[in-house]
């Protein structure tokens, strides 16, 4: 998803205008079928909300824990959104409008926390800040204190969760705000100087209002990721809708109650998207049409330069360097006692699920994107929109939506096979990797679709016209013209989905087959048992893999000013 954010939405003018009658057919129909399957979890959750027989469970939840879920989720969103905005916008403003030491390094280094899943960061800071951890142990040894001589804040609270999420997810706001500031950097600064505005006045009265749509979009992404998280809030014992869904499903055994909570959570997501769109209103900001020129920014020296360096370094240290160092130290000195064969089994499971999902996501994204390119009618446009909904859904909602219909299909199929042939097949879909791959595909199809769209729109429509004039069908045009040009974009899309699935925890916990663990579930299980040193081996592997797409993204960011 990260690289997809780095590319702006393509212009609609790149659509190929081929004869309409020729383009309607199996390709458009296949795109509609793909969209239907991707939307199936949402439909499943929505239909089960009104199922009978669970009034007691829902009444119990509504009278006991539901108010806490609502309150905690709201405060979590407010806290994470505010802090991520402050850090992301502030860092983007500094590296865009000022010149100080290490500014070019900060431009790409401020993206690094995206490689650190929030639940991994939570494990690292819990070990660092707990009573027996290195920080408090050092304080007691240095100062001669006892436990009664000082008080230390507890990181496993709602406030701690806010800090974890904000310092991991602020790069979404940073990237979009920085891009918006750079697009109008020279013009805004010149206009501000001509009006006699100071740098702060220019930021508050000109730059920030013009960047508001980009900032709102970044905050919406941050909050959707926050709502989708399970590992951090569960480990910190923060009661949100996500933890409630798992409790209703596993503790109470009530799929309908879980679906009802999932729809409440989905309502939060829809509300966020509506607020993000409303925040933009009818405002439109356009460039002057002149070529964008990089600006050196106002030079900072002395104390101001040191302060700018410290403010930019702080999010990197808190969000990446410090937790990564803690995890690496634990992995090297202690690590997982079962690192050998057990670790490679977990890594193999993670790679298998991630690889299958990435291959399917790229293939289906190419089908949907190419169908829209050939036939931009309401059917294919709606299919394209429906396929892109998955990223807005938390993994827990998708898991509930996938499990309900698949469980019914499994039970019906098993009963039919037993009645007709006397076969005892058990669970054919729910008990296999297929259900987990499907859930991950629904969740992360958007990352592949946006990347493929961006690559496909860079192919000029004249190539399609030339291929058609030579008698090539759309399928042959895709094979012989587009695929060679799309190779890099398809590889990027597959890499993004692969990394996202490697880090995914909520859907994997629910959908995994019996006795099937991945690096993410192993890290969560060990951390939940307070075996943080053993969990460090799996978590550092997840972070290391997550760095791969960020290296590509950081290179793009570093080259933007050249």
């Amino acid at each position: 998803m990260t690289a997809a954010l780095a590319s702006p939405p393509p212009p609609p003018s790149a659509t190929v205008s081929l004869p309409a009658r020729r383009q309607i057919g199996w390709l458009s129909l296949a795109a509609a079928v793909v969209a239907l399957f991707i939307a199936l979890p949402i439909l499943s959750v929505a239909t089960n909300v009104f199922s009978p027989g669970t009034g007691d469970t829902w009444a119990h939840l509504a009278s006991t824990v539901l108010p806490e879920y609502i309150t905690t989720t709201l405060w979590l969103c407010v806290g994470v959104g505010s802090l991520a905005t402050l850090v992301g916008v502030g860092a983007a403003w500094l590296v865009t409008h000022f010149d100080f030491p290490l500014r070019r390094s900060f431009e790409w280094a401020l993206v690094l926390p995206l490689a650190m899943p929030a639940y991994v960061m939570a494990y690292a800071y819990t070990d660092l800040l707990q009573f027996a951890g290195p920080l408090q142990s050092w304080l007691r040894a240095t100062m001669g204190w006892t436990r009664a001589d000082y008080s230390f804040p507890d990181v496993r609270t709602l406030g701690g969760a806010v800090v974890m999420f904000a310092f991991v997810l602020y790069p979404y706001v940073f990237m979009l705000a920085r891009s918006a500031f750079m697009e109008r950097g020279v013009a805004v600064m010149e206009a501000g100087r001509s009006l006699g505005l100071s740098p702060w006045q220019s930021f508050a009265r000109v730059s920030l209002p013009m960047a508001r749509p980009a900032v709102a979009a970044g905050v919406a992404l941050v909050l959707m990721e926050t709502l989708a998280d399970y590992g951090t809030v569960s480990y910190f014992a923060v009661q949100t809708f996500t933890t409630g869904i798992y409790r209703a499903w596993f503790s109470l055994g009530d799929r309908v109650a879980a679906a009802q909570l999932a729809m409440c959570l989905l309502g939060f997501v829809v509300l966020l998207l509506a607020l993000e769109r409303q925040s933009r209103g009818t405002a439109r900001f356009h460039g002057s049409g002149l070529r964008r020129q990089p600006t050196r920014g106002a030079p900072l020296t002395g104390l101001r330069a040191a302060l700018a360096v410290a403010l930019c370094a702080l999010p990197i240290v808190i969000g990446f360097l410090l937790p990564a160092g803690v995890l690496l130290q634990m992995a090297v000195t202690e690590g997982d006692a079962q690192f050998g064969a057990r670790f490679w089994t977990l890594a193999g499971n993670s790679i298998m699920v991630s690889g299958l999902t990435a291959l399917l996501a790229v293939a289906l994204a190419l089908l949907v994107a190419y169908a829209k390119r050939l036939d931009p009618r309401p059917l294919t446009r709606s299919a394209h929109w429906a396929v892109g909904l998955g990223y807005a859904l938390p993994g827990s909602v998708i898991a509930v939506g996938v499990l309900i219909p698949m469980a019914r299909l499994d039970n019906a199929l098993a009963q039919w096979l037993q009645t007709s042939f006397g076969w005892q097949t058990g669970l054919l879909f729910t008990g296999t990797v297929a259900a987990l791959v499907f859930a991950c595909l629904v969740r992360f199809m958007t990352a592949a679709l946006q990347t493929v769209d961006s690559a496909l729109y860079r192919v000029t429509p004249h190539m399609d016209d030339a291929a058609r004039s030579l008698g090539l069908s759309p399928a042959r045009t895709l094979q012989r013209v587009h695929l060679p040009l799309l190779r890099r974009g398809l590889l990027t899309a597959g890499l993004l989905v692969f990394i996202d699935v490697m880090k995914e925890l909520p859907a994997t916990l629910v959908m995994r087959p019996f006795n099937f663990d991945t690096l993410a579930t192993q890290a969560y299980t060990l951390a939940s048992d307070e075996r943080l040193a053993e969990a460090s081996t799996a978590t550092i592997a997840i972070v290391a893999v997550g760095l791969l797409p960020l290296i590509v993204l950081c290179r793009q960011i570093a080259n933007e000013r050249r």
Side-chain angles (χ1 to χ4, degrees), residues 509-532:
L509 280 175
V510 177
M511 303 301 302
R512 59 178 173 159
F514 177 74
N515 202 27
F516 183 91
D517 289 308
T518 64
L519 291 173
T521 60
Q522 175 76 350
Y524 172 76
T525 302
L526 293 175
S528 299
D529 293 338
E530 302 299 331
R531 297 157 65 186
L532 292 173

Side-chain angles (χ1 to χ4, degrees), residues 11 27 41 47 69 99 149-150 159 177 226 249 284 334 343 375 391 407 416 435 451 474 492 509 542 561:
L27 194 61
T47 55
Y69 292 160
D99 186 31
D149 294 331
Y150 71 99
T226 301
W249 187 279
R284 298 292 184 270
E334 299 179 66
F343 176 83
D375 183 15
Y391 190 74
W416 178 76
T451 307
T492 302
L509 280 175
I542 295 172
R561 287 184 178 270

Side-chain angles (χ1 to χ4, degrees), residues 213-390:
V215 173
V219 174
L221 287 171
V222 168
L223 295 183
M224 283 192 291
E225 288 285 353
T226 301
L227 292 174
D229 181 85
Y230 173 73
T232 306
V233 292
S234 175
Y235 188 63
F236 280 7
V238 177
Q239 302 304 314
T240 64
F241 276 107
T242 307
T243 58
I245 291 169
Y246 283 85
R247 183 173 302 168
W249 187 279
F250 291 106
S251 300
L252 302 178
D254 195 329
R255 60 176 176 81
V256 179
Q260 291 168 335
L261 288 173
M263 285 303 294
C264 292
L265 180 55
L266 185 58
F268 266 90
V269 174
V270 172
L271 178 62
L272 286 175
L273 294 176
L275 291 175
E276 185 271 331
R277 184 174 295 274
Q278 181 66 28
S279 70
R280 289 179 289 174
T282 59
R284 298 292 184 270
F285 302 103
H286 303 284
S288 62
L290 300 176
R291 182 180 178 182
R292 187 181 71 185
Q293 300 176 356
T295 177
R296 182 177 177 83
L300 297 179
T301 56
L303 182 60
R304 291 185 176 183
L307 182 60
V309 171
L311 290 177
C312 289
L314 186 63
I316 304 172
V317 173
I318 296 177
F320 182 76
L321 294 179
L322 190 56
V326 170
L327 292 172
L328 185 61
Q329 187 271 336
M330 288 193 296
V332 171
T333 57
E334 299 179 66
D336 193 345
Q338 302 179 8
F339 175 77
R342 171 65 174 166
F343 176 83
W344 294 115
T345 299
L346 297 172
N349 291 341
S350 297
I351 292 173
M352 178 183 65
V353 174
S354 302
L356 287 174
T357 306
L359 288 175
L360 288 173
V362 171
L364 296 179
L366 180 60
L367 186 152
V368 174
Y370 193 57
K372 185 188 175 189
R373 179 184 177 95
L374 295 181
D375 183 15
R377 299 189 184 196
L379 177 63
T380 50
R381 288 203 305 267
S382 299
H384 189 278
W385 173 80
V387 169
L389 282 177

Side-chain angles (χ1 to χ4, degrees), residues 104-289:
R104 290 188 178 275
S105 298
F106 286 133
E107 286 183 326
W108 60 263
L110 281 161
V111 184
L112 288 178
L114 279 180
M116 185 76 60
Y119 60 87
V120 170
M121 187 172 172
Y123 304 156
Y125 275 101
T126 298
D127 179 80
L128 178 66
L129 301 177
Q130 65 184 344
F131 178 75
L135 181 58
Q136 292 199 52
S137 298
W138 176 81
L139 286 174
R140 291 193 300 271
T142 303
M143 307 300 295
W145 293 342
T146 63
R147 183 67 182 90
D149 294 331
Y150 71 99
S151 61
F152 208 82
D154 184 10
V155 69
R156 298 175 68 172
T157 59
L158 176 61
V162 167
V163 174
M164 298 298 109
F165 285 123
F167 279 95
V168 165
L169 300 174
Y170 80 84
Y172 286 120
V173 181
F174 167 77
M175 288 188 296
L176 294 176
R178 175 182 172 275
S179 178
F181 290 152
M182 287 184 63
E183 285 176 359
R184 305 171 185 90
V186 175
V188 167
M189 293 184 68
E190 290 179 352
R193 282 197 298 265
S194 67
L195 295 174
L197 297 179
S198 66
W200 169 252
Q201 291 173 326
S202 178
F203 167 74
R205 297 175 60 180
V206 183
S207 297
L208 186 58
M210 296 182 71
R212 187 182 65 182
V215 173
V219 174
L221 287 171
V222 168
L223 295 183
M224 283 192 291
E225 288 285 353
T226 301
L227 292 174
D229 181 85
Y230 173 73
T232 306
V233 292
S234 175
Y235 188 63
F236 280 7
V238 177
Q239 302 304 314
T240 64
F241 276 107
T242 307
T243 58
I245 291 169
Y246 283 85
R247 183 173 302 168
W249 187 279
F250 291 106
S251 300
L252 302 178
D254 195 329
R255 60 176 176 81
V256 179
Q260 291 168 335
L261 288 173
M263 285 303 294
C264 292
L265 180 55
L266 185 58
F268 266 90
V269 174
V270 172
L271 178 62
L272 286 175
L273 294 176
L275 291 175
E276 185 271 331
R277 184 174 295 274
Q278 181 66 28
S279 70
R280 289 179 289 174
T282 59
R284 298 292 184 270
F285 302 103
H286 303 284
S288 62

Side-chain angles (χ1 to χ4, degrees), residues 65-87:
V65 294
L66 186 59
E68 182 181 2
Y69 292 160
I70 296 174
T71 304
T72 305
T73 303
L74 284 174
W75 278 115
L76 186 65
C77 289
V78 170
V80 173
S82 302
L83 186 55
T85 302
L86 179 64
V87 176

Side-chain angles (χ1 to χ4, degrees), residues 417-434:
L417 290 175
Q418 182 177 7
T419 303
S420 303
F421 305 100
W423 297 347
Q424 298 285 344
T425 58
L427 299 176
L428 295 177
F429 298 106
T430 311
T432 65
V433 180

